[in-house]
Amino acid sequence: MNISIVIPVHNRIAFTRTCLESLQNQTVNNFDVIVVDDGSTDGTNEMVKKEFPHVHIIEGDGNFWWSKSVNVGIQFAIQQGAIKIITLNDDTILFQDFVEKMIYWSESNPTALLGAFAYDAATKMPCYGGEIMQWYTAGSKKLLDTLKDVDRHGLHKVTHLPGRGLLIPREVFFKIGYFDDKNFPQRSADHEFTLRAVRNGFPLYCNYDARIFMYPTASGDFENRQSKSLKKYYHHLFHRKGGGNLTEFCMYAIKVAPWYALPFFLVSGLARRIGGYLRDWSKDILKVKDDK
């Protein structure tokens, strides 16, 4: 099975090195690694060339962002003959049998997209195991809230998945196209893509046997929500990395929500994004007053 692993990177040399080291330590080695470096200025490109000479490097101009970086890497992988592609974020560390377990389940489910079961790198506790979309509330039901520990293995059906540790068969791209890097250059492209794949008949599972460590605090919106300010609230709602980006959410809703649920999805989702930050901000203010 020809597998390529595509990793978009930008100015996070330490994360990139650790991620690539975890790929070197896999129980299988029958895969290629493609790093798409979108204009890093911290020495990432030079480090990869020196320490991981077997890795393919594609250089961006600093304007690729996540989605275009992934698309460029995938297109290169397919040109090189890849049958399966795994998209991977640089702020992940793979368990040693990650690729092996992805191959195992993909062989018995050849048309399925498979996502990773994630642990918090700091606490070592499970933090992501897939979700089921709730269309009328624009929220989701998390499988980790319902699955018992004894059931946390094998494949579990989900409605959408993130791009960190996502195995995608080549034929998915042939049928539905690539990640939407025009409307979702940095966020939401992975969820929109996997929802689109499901609509087109491709099974979607979280693979609880393929495990990774991730850093929840490394997300682009985490700092905005840690210490609040009007400037950060604005970034939350309108910046490309903002977790509550209103423009992108409206486009996302139009593209993914069923027509009968779209009004509810839009209203609920906008309320979450506009009001959620303010709610958390008010809680922080009250906490500071109580501490005094």
Side-chain angles (χ1 to χ4, degrees):
M1 181 183 294
N2 295 331
I3 295 179
S4 289
I5 299 176
V6 175
I7 311 172
V9 305
H10 177 71
N11 280 346
R12 301 204 295 187
I13 187 171
F15 278 134
T16 301
R17 177 184 286 114
T18 304
C19 179
L20 291 174
E21 287 173 346
S22 73
L23 280 167
Q24 280 188 328
N25 295 324
Q26 291 296 295
T27 54
V28 297
N29 59 11
N30 55 335
F31 57 86
D32 291 324
V33 180
I34 301 164
V35 166
V36 183
D37 178 22
D38 189 24
S40 292
T41 57
D42 65 347
T44 293
N45 193 299
E46 294 77 9
M47 180 276 293
V48 173
K49 290 178 180 177
K50 180 180 179 181
E51 299 180 22
F52 306 94
H54 61 286
V55 171
H56 302 280
I57 301 180
I58 300 173
E59 298 182 22
D61 60 5
N63 295 301
F64 279 13
W65 296 87
W66 187 89
S67 303
K68 186 175 180 179
S69 295
V70 169
N71 283 343
V72 169
I74 292 167
Q75 290 162 2
F76 176 83
I78 291 175
Q79 290 170 2
Q80 298 299 306
I83 304 299
K84 308 280 184 179
I85 292 92
I86 297 176
T87 61
L88 189 67
N89 287 359
D90 60 351
D91 58 343
T92 56
I93 302 172
L94 310 184
F95 281 50
Q96 284 189 316
D97 61 351
F98 171 84
V99 176
E100 178 186 345
K101 295 301 184 182
M102 279 295 191
I103 292 173
Y104 173 82
W105 283 109
S106 184
E107 286 179 341
S108 56
N109 299 270
T111 64
L113 290 79
L114 307 177
F117 179 31
Y119 292 76
D120 187 312
T123 66
K124 305 300 187 288
M125 297 296 293
C127 62
Y128 185 83
E131 303 170 78
I132 304 296
M133 184 70 78
Q134 307 293 293
W135 293 114
Y136 289 103
T137 63
S140 59
K141 180 177 70 175
K142 294 176 172 54
L143 267 62
L144 282 179
D145 294 339
T146 59
L147 281 179
K148 297 178 181 178
D149 289 351
V150 69
D151 296 321
R152 292 178 180 177
H153 61 84
L155 303 186
H156 292 271
K157 201 166 190 177
V158 295
T159 56
H160 56 289
L161 284 167
R164 55 172 186 269
L166 177 65
L167 182 145
I168 311 166
R170 178 176 64 177
E171 54 264 35
V172 176
F173 301 107
F174 294 161
K175 184 171 183 178
I176 73 170
Y178 293 84
F179 291 89
D180 184 349
D181 57 24
K182 299 297 188 293
N183 290 308
F184 313 111
Q186 182 66 18
R187 298 177 61 90
S188 302
D190 45 7
H191 286 182
E192 187 276 329
F193 178 83
T194 50
L195 284 161
R196 184 167 17 121
V198 170
R199 287 200 309 273
N200 282 272
F202 293 98
L204 186 69
Y205 300 100
C206 184
N207 181 358
Y208 273 67
D209 296 336
R211 299 164 295 166
I212 64 173
F213 286 114
M214 60 173 285
Y215 295 84
T217 59
S219 68
D221 195 48
F222 181 79
E223 183 183 348
N224 278 343
R225 301 191 72 98
Q226 278 298 100
S227 58
K228 312 293 193 306
S229 69
L230 287 175
K231 181 179 180 180
K232 290 180 178 180
Y233 182 43
Y234 178 85
H235 283 176
H236 171 72
L237 296 178
F238 299 106
H239 193 271
R240 184 164 284 185
K241 288 187 177 182
N245 187 294
L246 300 183
T247 303
E248 287 190 3
F249 171 73
C250 289
M251 178 59 67
Y252 174 75
I254 292 168
K255 291 197 70 173
V256 306
W259 65 267
Y260 56 83
L262 179 58
F264 304 96
F265 191 86
L266 269 172
V267 171
S268 298
L270 289 171
R272 285 171 181 266
R273 284 154 179 78
I274 295 170
Y277 191 101
L278 296 176
R279 181 198 62 229
D280 293 343
W281 195 355
S282 64
K283 287 181 179 179
D284 291 347
I285 294 171
L286 291 173
K287 185 177 184 299
V288 169
K289 289 183 177 178
D290 290 342
D291 290 343
K292 290 181 179 179

